[in-house]
Amino acid sequence: MDALMASYASDSDSDGGEPAAVSGGAPEVPEPSALLPPPPLDLLHPPNFVGMIPCAPISLNLISDDVLSADVVIPSDARKQLALSMKRAASLVPDLYAVDADYALSELCKDEQKLEKVLLSREFHVSLGRPVAVQVHQIDSFVAMLRQKFQPQQQYCMEFNKWEHFVNDDCTRSFLSLEVTRTGLPEIRKQILMVDEVYRLHGLPEFYTNPRPHISLVWALGDVSGKLKQAIKDIEKYQSSMSSLQKCNVRCKFSRVVCKVGKKVYDICKVAD
C-alpha cells in the first residue's frame, strides 16, 4: 500500500516547488494509458485512520486529601471560615462560579449548607504540569515514565495559607485561589521538576519558571484581576480581625498523583496514610 501511495504522490508537484522546465517548446502530453486512475478512498483513509485529531488533551494534577479524613479535602473546621470568605468575595465580584461545579457563587451563598457541600466538600487539584496536547502514540511512554519517577514518593503535608488570584494564559478566565507558600512548597516543587523532565523527553512545554502551587475555588470570565484583588484585601482585613484560633488553616496531606488524558484518568502514584 505504501508503494502504491508513493506512486501517486510522485505524479504531483512537491509542496511549494516550481514545475520542472521542459526543453523543446510545448510540454509533452502523456498517453491516456500512461495516466494512473484516481486512488480508491479506502486506500487513502483506511479503517484505522486517525483523521484530523492526532493529539489528545492532557493535564496532570496532584490531589490533596484532607488531613483528618480521606473523604474530603478541606477540614470541616476550615470550611466554615472559607464559607464566610466566599460570601465576602461574592458581594464584591458578582459573576463568580464554583470551580468544576460551575454553580454561581452568589446562588450558593444563599444556602450555607449547599455552599459547603458543592464548593468546599470536594476534591481539589494542585497542577504539576501545564495542560498540553500529547500525541496519541506518546501516551503509554508518558504514563510509564511518570509512574517510574513517582514510585518512591512519601507522604508530606502542605498548607494553603495565602489568598491569591490567577489568570489563565489566554486571559479568558480569572481564579480566586489559596496558595502554598510555606509548608509543602519544597516537596511540590520537586515533583514539578520530575514532571518537567518527562515533559522535556516528550517534546512538551515545561511548567512555569516560578511555580506557585495552589487550589482554585471559584472563577470568573475574562480578566477581572482588579475586582479579585479588592476581594482579597477585604477577606484578609476580615481575617486579620479574628483571633488566631478562628483563622482559617487549610492543611492537607499529599495523597496521590493522577494524570488525565482526554476522558481517561491514570493513577500515577498513591501514598498510604
Side-chain angles (χ1 to χ4, degrees), residues 125-194:
H125 308 282
V126 179
S127 294
L128 295 177
R130 289 176 182 263
V132 295
V134 63
Q135 296 183 18
V136 174
H137 71 272
Q138 292 182 313
I139 294 174
D140 288 344
S141 65
F142 187 85
V143 171
M145 285 187 185
L146 285 173
R147 285 173 174 166
Q148 184 179 23
K149 286 283 184 184
F150 280 86
Q151 190 175 10
Q153 286 295 289
Q154 296 180 348
Q155 194 169 75
Y156 63 87
C157 289
M158 62 188 81
E159 185 177 352
F160 298 92
N161 60 299
K162 180 186 177 186
W163 286 100
E164 190 55 88
H165 75 281
F166 294 92
V167 180
N168 62 1
D169 291 341
D170 53 6
C171 297
T172 57
R173 288 196 182 193
S174 303
F175 300 86
L176 180 60
S177 311
L178 280 169
E179 185 179 359
V180 178
T181 64
R182 297 191 297 256
T183 304
L185 183 59
E187 290 84 354
I188 297 174
R189 284 183 169 174
K190 286 180 182 178
Q191 292 179 328
I192 290 173
L193 289 176
M194 292 192 296

Side-chain angles (χ1 to χ4, degrees), residues 23-134:
S23 59
E28 180 182 353
V29 179
E31 294 294 331
S33 60
L35 297 175
L36 289 171
L41 292 178
D42 57 352
L43 172 63
L44 296 180
H45 302 281
N48 60 349
F49 180 64
V50 178
M52 299 301 294
I53 313 175
C55 298
I58 184 171
S59 61
L60 187 69
N61 294 307
L62 175 152
I63 294 183
S64 310
D65 279 353
D66 180 24
V67 171
L68 304 175
S69 171
D71 297 328
V72 295
V73 174
I74 298 176
S76 57
D77 58 345
R79 278 185 241 147
K80 295 290 184 183
Q81 296 302 328
L82 282 180
L84 293 174
S85 298
M86 289 294 96
K87 289 179 181 179
R88 302 183 81 87
S91 66
L92 293 169
V93 190
D95 299 324
L96 287 173
Y97 295 85
V99 168
D100 291 343
D102 290 346
Y103 277 90
L105 180 61
S106 57
E107 291 299 315
L108 291 176
C109 288
K110 295 177 182 178
D111 185 336
E112 189 165 332
Q113 288 186 346
K114 191 172 183 180
L115 174 63
E116 288 193 31
K117 182 178 179 180
V118 174
L119 177 61
L120 303 176
S121 300
R122 56 174 295 272
E123 211 166 45
F124 289 93
H125 308 282
V126 179
S127 294
L128 295 177
R130 289 176 182 263
V132 295
V134 63

Side-chain angles (χ1 to χ4, degrees), residues 157-262:
C157 289
M158 62 188 81
E159 185 177 352
F160 298 92
N161 60 299
K162 180 186 177 186
W163 286 100
E164 190 55 88
H165 75 281
F166 294 92
V167 180
N168 62 1
D169 291 341
D170 53 6
C171 297
T172 57
R173 288 196 182 193
S174 303
F175 300 86
L176 180 60
S177 311
L178 280 169
E179 185 179 359
V180 178
T181 64
R182 297 191 297 256
T183 304
L185 183 59
E187 290 84 354
I188 297 174
R189 284 183 169 174
K190 286 180 182 178
Q191 292 179 328
I192 290 173
L193 289 176
M194 292 192 296
V195 173
D196 276 348
E197 186 175 349
V198 177
Y199 269 46
R200 193 162 51 245
L201 291 172
H202 289 81
L204 301 172
E206 298 175 24
F207 206 56
Y208 303 98
T209 304
N210 182 29
R212 301 179 63 182
H214 61 275
I215 56 174
S216 293
L217 283 82
V218 291
W219 65 272
L221 283 174
D223 186 347
V224 294
S225 301
K227 292 181 179 180
L228 290 179
K229 285 179 181 178
Q230 185 58 45
I232 290 172
K233 286 182 181 179
D234 186 82
I235 291 171
E236 290 176 341
K237 183 179 179 180
Y238 163 71
Q239 290 182 340
S240 65
S241 65
M242 300 164 57
S243 67
S244 58
L245 293 177
Q246 292 176 310
K247 288 183 179 179
C248 175
N249 181 26
V250 184
R251 192 177 177 87
C252 305
K253 288 186 294 185
F254 160 66
S255 173
R256 62 186 176 124
V257 174
V258 298
C259 179
K260 185 178 180 182
V261 184

